[in-house]
Amino acid sequence: MRICKKMLSISLLFVVINLISLEGCGTRENNSTAEYYDIVSKVDTLFEEVSSGELKGMLLGMQYYFGEPVQLWSEGDEVYLVRTDGSREKLIAIPQAAAMCCYLDGDGSIYCWERYAELAENGIPSVWKYDASGQEVCRVRMEEGIVPEDICQLSDGKILLLLRDRAAGALTLAELDARKGAVSTLNRVQLGQGITLGSIASGDKGVLFLEQGFEEGLSEISLKDGKKGVFQSFKGSGYILGMHAEGMEIEDFRTGEDGSVEILWAEAGSGRGVLERLQMKKMDKTVLVMQDSYCEAPAWLKEKIAQFNKNNEQYYVIYERPEPDRQMEFGQRIAVQMAAGKGPDILMGYALSFVDDLAGKGGMVDLAPYMAESGMKEEDYFPSAFSYWRDEDKIYSVSMSAMLSYQWLEGTALGLESRPEIEILLDALLAQKEDVSYMERQLASDVLLDLLEYSENCCGMLDWEKGLCDFRGELYAKMMLVANKYGDTWDNVMAGKADNYRKPVAIMLSAWDIYEYETLEEVEKQGGILLLNEDGAGYDAPSMGGLFAINANSAHIEGAWEFISYMMSDQVQRTQRSPMSATSRAVCIAAVEEELRWLDRGNVEYRNDDLYDSQGKLIYSRSRSWSREDITDEKAMEYISMRDKAVGGGSEEERRMKPVWQIIREEAEAYFTGDKSIEEVADIITNRVQLYLDENR
């Protein structure tokens, strides 16, 4: 953040009653009795935009000053205090004030630092303190690479700074001692890494940290032991910090007497300042609970949910996801709840992978009738929109985005000119003497499964119709040898000892858009041997982050479908990060055409790719660019054509094979670790898979 925060005392913030209960959230059993609360935001403008013709100067900051929202402005070097009624009070003069961020403390002293580090001497910022008469009390120069981002005054008068290490990305707290002219870092306090943004304020027991980003919410930090405890997370709410203050930055915050939280936001360029009041409110609409075990784009998703909640008169969606270290537990609990006839109304994304066995067995709602009733036509979407959970005409899930992919072999490296039979491919891989990898896979078990999927029925080792299997032949033995040569054990990978980032001999090309896509002609010119489906199509795998299904236990199936159909609409799909990956044909085609027009105007698309090993070491970094000459009309048309005919990922066959793959993974690891021979492992796998086939006929 740019500017300072003042004292803050919070005893109650966003207490969500019955919001995060996993025992039956959103179920038929207790939806009628549970009370749901969510954060309601109200924004009021306190300071209008100031045009350059009305008032020359620069906004230095906005804060609460003795309980009143005020702004600090500069005209030249003169600093003014501006109140919400428009009155102004001249304070002091500060050299180059317009280039500063400023904060007014309780005794009238002003603290300031350079707005941008580049403006500082040698790029190293300083923090100044001026007393109420304008005399410089001290100037403290930061260490190289350290940038001030925020300030607050504790109830005992101490001044704390929020600092960022630009190289490491870490945020730290430090105390400013004006008498000694020194800044001392509070090393025990850990605030966040990387792109974490935040604001600090005084709390009852220490410092409060209002965090923006993936883990957004309020934490309380003890200055005695440095421990950071979650005071209130925003995850279980429909609110995103800043969703109603676009283009603004947090300037200050406090709690109201009614238990609300009041945040001051301002736009530095225009001077516009607003007060956002957040307060818990009981929902008077029918609540739909949606759960996911992991979210790829939480801010975007919450924005779409907020729009639905605002515009829908009957239903209100609450989105729940776990803390990062509880994803597996959260997903497993969803499965247990649904098996007991409970669970959320809507399942999203990765949560669906925990309940694969419920599709087509009464656990999920067939969406086809709802699609027909609402006018949603399959021909308006790519096949991947409905492929993840489908049984002929019955559709159990829908997806709003997908990644197009296909495989090809390095023919030159393997000494091959056309697609080989599996036996020839295995011999070529075993004969390979160069230090190469197989599809950049580290796990030997992943390589093994790729080879088994080279043709149908595990290359003839499994017959579903007859209910028979046999993994004890020479072909499977060769696969094990290849997997062992090109992959590593699970333990080594987890311990960071397996760095298999060498040039691959099998390529998985995946593309979200026309830039990443390589035409089939381009691949063949590079000597690639295409591994496509029989009809020449690749795969269009649904993005797990945009996947939705409805729990058959839900008491509000119609409402759940209203939300899902809204998410599948063109108006929502075109707002995705990559609309060219949309499953809506119209949205994808329009996005491709818009991109071509952008390139026609002489623009160039630039992208950087960095590859790191398991220890976080940078292996290589490359920059790529595409102009209109690179993205031809033919390439764009082929991308759309491939998506139109691609086989959708997440098929019934993939789910049927999931238990088989799990057995093979578990048992094959004993050979890769040297504990058992290929023959012993093949025997065990054959017996276990056969038992599974017998039990599931």
Side-chain angles (χ1 to χ4, degrees), residues 325-341:
D325 59 348
R326 296 188 61 199
Q327 293 169 5
M328 183 65 68
E329 176 189 348
F330 193 85
Q332 291 170 344
R333 189 170 296 189
I334 291 175
V336 170
Q337 297 250 329
M338 292 186 63

Side-chain angles (χ1 to χ4, degrees), residues 250-301:
I250 297 175
E251 300 287 333
D252 204 353
F253 60 106
R254 70 175 184 182
T255 55
E257 294 181 358
D258 58 356
S260 62
V261 174
E262 298 176 349
I263 305 175
L264 298 180
W265 300 82
E267 190 175 71
S270 69
R272 180 170 179 259
V274 303
L275 164 63
E276 180 179 27
R277 182 177 286 104
L278 306 177
Q279 193 161 28
M280 295 303 299
K281 181 180 179 182
K282 181 180 177 181
M283 295 297 98
D284 53 6
K285 300 179 182 179
T286 299
V287 169
L288 304 172
V289 176
M290 181 171 71
Q291 292 181 350
D292 192 358
S293 59
Y294 173 76
C295 185
E296 294 177 348
W300 178 86
L301 177 61

Side-chain angles (χ1 to χ4, degrees), residues 117-132:
E118 293 76 11
L119 300 176
E121 181 183 349
N122 298 322
I124 303 176
S126 297
V127 176
W128 287 264
K129 177 182 179 180
Y130 294 90
D131 64 21

Side-chain angles (χ1 to χ4, degrees), residues 39-329:
I39 299 170
V40 175
S41 169
K42 181 182 179 182
V43 178
D44 294 313
T45 298
L46 301 180
F47 297 92
E48 300 290 347
E49 290 188 17
V50 178
S51 66
S52 58
E54 295 177 359
L55 181 64
K56 297 178 181 179
M58 175 65 67
L59 176 66
L60 308 181
M62 179 176 173
Q63 66 179 86
Y64 283 108
Y65 187 61
F66 290 104
E68 177 190 1
V70 299
Q71 287 187 340
L72 297 178
W73 276 84
S74 72
E75 289 186 25
D77 291 344
E78 301 293 337
V79 178
Y80 290 84
L81 179 71
V82 182
R83 294 184 170 82
T84 54
D85 61 5
S87 62
R88 304 171 67 212
E89 175 186 344
K90 184 177 178 180
L91 298 178
I92 63 173
I94 296 176
Q96 299 180 334
M100 298 292 179
C101 295
C102 293
Y103 171 67
L104 183 63
D105 76 3
D107 63 7
S109 298
I110 293 182
Y111 297 83
C112 61
W113 64 86
E114 293 91 349
R115 185 181 307 275
Y116 305 108
E118 293 76 11
L119 300 176
E121 181 183 349
N122 298 322
I124 303 176
S126 297
V127 176
W128 287 264
K129 177 182 179 180
Y130 294 90
D131 64 21
S133 67
Q135 295 296 313
E136 179 180 316
V137 177
C138 69
R139 175 190 177 185
V140 183
R141 201 174 190 209
M142 299 292 101
E143 295 181 10
E144 187 172 0
I146 303 300
V147 179
E149 292 203 348
D150 200 2
I151 190 171
C152 76
Q153 184 177 33
L154 301 181
S155 57
D156 60 5
K158 291 181 180 177
I159 297 294
L160 295 187
L161 295 171
L162 180 64
L163 306 177
R164 184 180 297 279
D165 185 329
R166 300 182 76 177
L171 288 171
T172 58
L173 277 179
E175 181 180 347
L176 172 62
D177 189 331
R179 290 178 299 176
K180 296 181 180 179
V183 170
S184 54
T185 302
L186 307 179
N187 292 318
R188 292 178 299 179
V189 176
Q190 297 297 317
L191 296 178
Q193 299 288 329
I195 62 172
T196 297
L197 301 175
S199 308
I200 56 174
S202 176
D204 291 336
K205 299 179 181 179
V207 179
L208 293 173
F209 180 53
L210 186 59
E211 183 173 348
Q212 261 182 303
F214 184 76
E215 298 297 329
E216 70 175 23
L218 192 68
S219 300
E220 188 164 25
I221 301 158
S222 169
L223 295 181
K224 292 182 178 179
D225 56 19
K227 292 183 178 179
K228 175 184 174 184
V230 176
F231 193 88
Q232 177 61 56
S233 172
F234 293 171
K235 284 184 180 179
S237 73
Y239 173 76
I240 309 167
L241 193 59
M243 65 190 299
H244 302 304
E246 187 176 355
M248 296 184 169
E249 294 183 347
I250 297 175
E251 300 287 333
D252 204 353
F253 60 106
R254 70 175 184 182
T255 55
E257 294 181 358
D258 58 356
S260 62
V261 174
E262 298 176 349
I263 305 175
L264 298 180
W265 300 82
E267 190 175 71
S270 69
R272 180 170 179 259
V274 303
L275 164 63
E276 180 179 27
R277 182 177 286 104
L278 306 177
Q279 193 161 28
M280 295 303 299
K281 181 180 179 182
K282 181 180 177 181
M283 295 297 98
D284 53 6
K285 300 179 182 179
T286 299
V287 169
L288 304 172
V289 176
M290 181 171 71
Q291 292 181 350
D292 192 358
S293 59
Y294 173 76
C295 185
E296 294 177 348
W300 178 86
L301 177 61
K302 278 193 172 185
E303 179 185 344
K304 300 300 120 180
I305 293 173
Q307 290 173 357
F308 175 85
N309 290 341
K310 179 181 179 181
N311 297 325
N312 193 284
E313 296 181 357
Q314 184 176 357
Y315 297 103
Y316 191 97
V317 174
I318 286 179
Y319 173 60
E320 298 176 1
R321 61 188 172 96
E323 297 295 327
D325 59 348
R326 296 188 61 199
Q327 293 169 5
M328 183 65 68
E329 176 189 348

Side-chain angles (χ1 to χ4, degrees), residues 334-335 338-339 354-364 389 396:
I334 291 175
M338 292 186 63
F354 289 90
V355 290
D356 273 344
D357 57 340
L358 295 180
K361 298 180 182 179
M364 297 297 155
W389 270 352
Y396 298 103

